[in-house]
Structures are given as C-alpha cells and as structure tokens.
Amino acid sequence: MSSELLAPLDLAFWHLESTGHPMHLGALAFFAPAPGSGTGGDREDDAERILGLLANRTAAIPRLRMRVQDVLLPVGGAAWAAADDFDVRRHVRHLRLPEGDFAAEAAHAAGELMEQPLERGLPPWEMYLLSSERATCFAVLVKLHHALADGMRAVAIGAGIFDEIADARRTVVRRSRTVTSRPLPWGARRIAGFARGRIAELGQALGVGASVVLASRLDPRGLPALTAGSSGTRRVGTAVLDLEEVSRVRRAAGGTANDVLLAVVTGALRRWMSGRGDQLPEAGPRALVPVSRRRPGGRPGSGNKLSAYLVELPVADPDPCSRLAAVRLAMDRNKAAGPLRGAGAVAVLADQLPPLAHRFGAPLAGGAARVLFDVLVTSVPLPRSALSLGGCPLREIYPLAPLARGQSLAIAMSTYGGQVHVGLVADGKALPDLDKLLLALREELDELLAAVRQPGQRP
C-alpha cells in the first residue's frame, strides 16, 4: 500500500491525543470453547494457537502495517506509510488473568490497557489475548487509534481476524492492482472548477462553523457527574440487553431501536444520579451521538467519515414513556436538519480545516468538548452472521469509545447474536460506582418495557 495523506479529521484525532487522553477505539470480545473441545486439553497450547492465528491474520491486513509520519507538504500534515520494520509480535500479545470471575477480570484488564496510549512511531493498534488457567473461554481486546478508523471502518478492519472473513479472503482470486495513470489536463476550465470547489468547501465550513457556535453552550462547566476532572485512569464496564425486548418497546412506542437505547441510557443516568444524591438538571445532560457519513452500500474507504447529533437527555422527567418520546422527537429533528447542523457537526468542520490548524489548534479543541456535550453515546454496527476465531464461537463483543478531555463517561453499543452489548469507558476515579450505572441500564429497560405494555399505568 503506497503512502497517503491523513484526511483532516484523521489528523485532528491524531493531534487531539495526550498522555491522559488516548484517542483509540476498542472492542472487548468474548469467545466460547470450540464445539467438541470439551473441558480438557492443554490451555497453554490452545492460547498459543489462538495467538498465532491473531498474529497471522492481523499481519495480512495491509492497513495494520501502516504508521503515521510527518510530511513536508502540506505544512503540518502527516501521511500513512508502510512500516518497513513491522513486527506483528509488537502488537499482538498474550495476557494471563488472575483466577476469579473471568468476565470481571477481563473488564478490569481492559480498563488498565485502555488508559495506555498506543506507541507513536509504530502502526497505531494493539491486540491482546486474555486468558486464564481455569477458564475455558477467552477474550480478545482490540485497540485501534481513532486516526486509523471510525467505528464502521474499525469493524471492517477488525473483522479480518474472524474465521469467516479470513476464509473468504483466501478464496478470492487476486486481481492486479496496477493502475495506468495519465496526467490530467490543467487547462483554464479545470482551474476554474478547482477554484469553485474550494469556494464551495469554504462556504460549507463557514455554515457548519456557524451552526457549531450557535449550538454550543455558554456555560462550559457541563454536568458535574459526567465532567469531573480527569485522573487519566480508566474503568471498563459491560452490560447485556435483550434485543427482542428493545424491539418490543420500539414496536409499541414507535421510533427506532437507537431511540429506545438512548431512552434506556437516559433512564439509567437518572437512576444512577439519583442514587448518588445528585440534583437532576432540568435540561440535559447533553449527549453526542456520532453519525456516519458513509453512503449505504458504498466502499468502506479509509479514515473517518463522521458527523454527530446532539440530544438533550431528559433525566428530570419521571415518566419513562415521556422520556422516550422526548428522545425520539429530538432525534427526528436532528435527522430533518441533517448532519451539517448543530454543534455535533464539529467533526465535519474539522474535515474542512488545513493540517496546520489541527497541529496547533488541537489543545484548544480538546478542551472545548465539555462546551459541546456531557457524554458520548454511540452505536457500532456489526455483521449479522455468526462469527468465530479458530473455531471458537464469538459470544459477546463490547465496543469501547475514547473519553474526551474533561469528560468522565463514554457509552458504546453494538448488536450481535440477539443481544445489545453495552461497553462503558469511565474515568476510574470520577466514576468509582460504575457498577451501579451498569445495573441501572438493565433496570431501565425492564421499566420501559413494563410501561409500554401498560400505557395507562406509569411505573
């Protein structure tokens, strides 16, 4: 793969990173033993086999052999270039967990690993095989820098480790990638067209910038429960929701499954804040909900293609159905306005700025997150088919999102195998009671389901 410039938004994510605020995405996947394997056998041999598979399959993905390097032009820019000294063993590692509840130990290890920035100068990703001497299952933690991919692209890259994708790649006949190029004529018409394109981009940037400013909050303090001072520590929590129950609520109340999940998050935050004795705000907290700008059916492409919507989560409303209706109305308004309006369009604005602006403006932009939103809530699409690794079925997979500077909680969700897997990344010191928030998610879905079954009787 030849070198290519980082797109402006990718460059923004690259420069937003600091020691206390790493900008990598993650996923924590749990696998069951291979069918027919039983409970015997040498666990060390099994782990080495899976580790070898991970190493071989990731090394075969061209994008994972690329690192970021500075370039002379454009000034302040950077490019993806092949790492000549690439060694997959520096990226794929085995971590043996202490004995105990395997899921809990894996989540604890994931939190510690997520707080460690990826090493610069190397291709920006890591993968950890998590195993225990007595546990028959195992887990894999994946870390991909946000400059490398957004959620959809990360799924496309990470899917290469699974048996079904790896097998399909081996059966595809390789076609020549040789492209014959010829110089394009730079006549007066082409120059004029280029100029018109730049003017149009400038006009779009001005329009998006005005929307960001108008939608930003005057009070930069945010919600104290979610915007505490950063400690640099990370905790990871996981929760499972039943997709059929989410669908029942959707069928009864209307809207989308994502609307229902946002309402579940709203109610869970209400329960959690009330349990802490926090005052429930009349407005907010404000959630940033990322939106992909990739075209349906289009090629995945590289880099980030993102905008976002802003949603005020009505935690002060005591009625679960009313909360759902408010969330649905807010999302409908966002969709009607489109992804280029509101403060959530800051990602689109970043895509219009020159490289030098990202290099020197990143510290300022990183501190502005709390002016825009209190919590990130994102959904990551996954393949619907069953997946496996070395014959071991994938049972659960939890997406993990990075924390913006000055924020304490990021919530990511994915759907797989009839379940909604919710991955929470929190500042370890700001949210020591993360387990209570995880429990509140399950309780809120139960309450919402009961409310739509008996619309005349509000819990």
Side-chain angles (χ1 to χ4, degrees), residues 6 17 60 98 128 133 140 171 188 192 227 232 236 255 283 313 373 392 434 437 459:
L6 268 71
E17 184 168 65
Y128 292 86
E133 183 177 349
V140 173
T171 61
T227 55
V236 165
L313 304 180
F373 63 99
C392 301
L434 185 63
L437 181 54

Side-chain angles (χ1 to χ4, degrees), residues 105-414:
E105 292 293 346
H108 178 76
E112 293 184 339
L113 293 169
M114 285 295 288
E115 70 187 40
Q116 301 172 12
L118 296 165
E119 183 177 345
R120 299 224 165 187
L122 297 178
W125 66 276
E126 291 175 350
M127 194 170 292
Y128 292 86
L129 170 63
L130 308 177
S131 68
S132 174
E133 183 177 349
R134 294 185 180 179
T136 57
C137 59
F138 65 91
V140 173
L141 174 70
V142 182
K143 293 168 56 177
L144 292 173
H145 199 285
H146 214 328
L148 184 66
D150 55 25
M152 290 184 67
R153 179 59 177 161
V155 170
I157 293 174
I161 71 170
F162 293 113
D163 299 338
E164 295 74 13
I165 309 301
D167 291 343
R169 283 180 173 174
R170 285 196 293 267
T171 61
V172 172
V173 178
R174 298 184 179 274
R175 298 180 179 179
S176 173
R177 294 184 178 180
T178 303
V179 178
T180 303
S181 61
R182 54 184 178 180
L184 295 172
W186 279 89
R189 289 184 179 179
R190 185 166 181 82
I191 294 174
F194 177 77
R196 284 194 298 269
R198 295 304 299 166
I199 291 172
E201 289 176 3
L202 178 60
Q204 184 186 55
L206 290 173
V208 172
S211 296
V212 170
V213 171
L214 290 173
S216 299
R217 298 178 295 197
L218 296 178
D219 184 357
R221 292 173 297 176
L223 193 67
L226 300 175
T227 55
S230 175
S231 67
T233 61
R234 296 290 182 270
R235 287 192 66 195
V236 165
T238 62
V240 178
L241 303 177
D242 188 280
L243 181 59
E244 175 56 30
E245 292 181 355
V246 173
S247 298
R248 288 179 199 164
V249 175
R250 177 190 59 79
R251 289 192 294 266
T256 67
N258 197 49
D259 294 341
V260 176
L261 291 173
L262 280 172
V264 169
V265 168
T266 302
L269 288 173
R270 172 186 168 84
R271 290 170 180 269
W272 172 69
M273 292 171 65
S274 297
R276 289 162 58 104
D278 294 338
Q279 182 178 359
L280 298 175
E282 288 300 323
R286 179 184 278 189
L288 185 77
V289 182
V291 179
S292 175
R293 292 191 289 127
R294 298 182 187 276
R295 295 181 179 179
R299 297 183 63 183
S302 61
N304 289 267
K305 300 290 184 183
L306 289 173
S307 183
Y309 295 143
L310 287 172
V311 182
E312 299 284 347
L313 304 180
V315 297
D317 191 334
D319 186 331
C321 290
S322 178
R323 292 195 294 266
L324 173 55
V327 166
R328 180 184 174 189
L329 178 61
M331 287 297 289
D332 287 346
R333 287 174 175 170
N334 276 320
K335 294 171 186 176
L340 302 184
R341 292 292 179 265
V346 67
V348 181
L349 178 62
D351 231 2
Q352 306 295 326
L353 297 178
L356 202 60
H358 292 302
R359 185 176 290 270
F360 292 106
L364 178 63
R370 66 172 60 191
V371 178
L372 302 177
F373 63 99
D374 299 300
V375 59
L376 175 74
V377 184
T378 183
S379 294
V380 180
L382 292 178
R384 295 183 178 180
S385 58
L387 299 172
S388 61
L389 174 59
C392 301
L394 173 66
R395 292 303 186 208
E396 301 170 3
I397 180 166
Y398 300 92
L400 306 172
L403 287 183
R405 190 173 304 170
Q407 297 185 332
S408 307
L409 178 67
I411 301 173
M413 297 174 282
S414 63

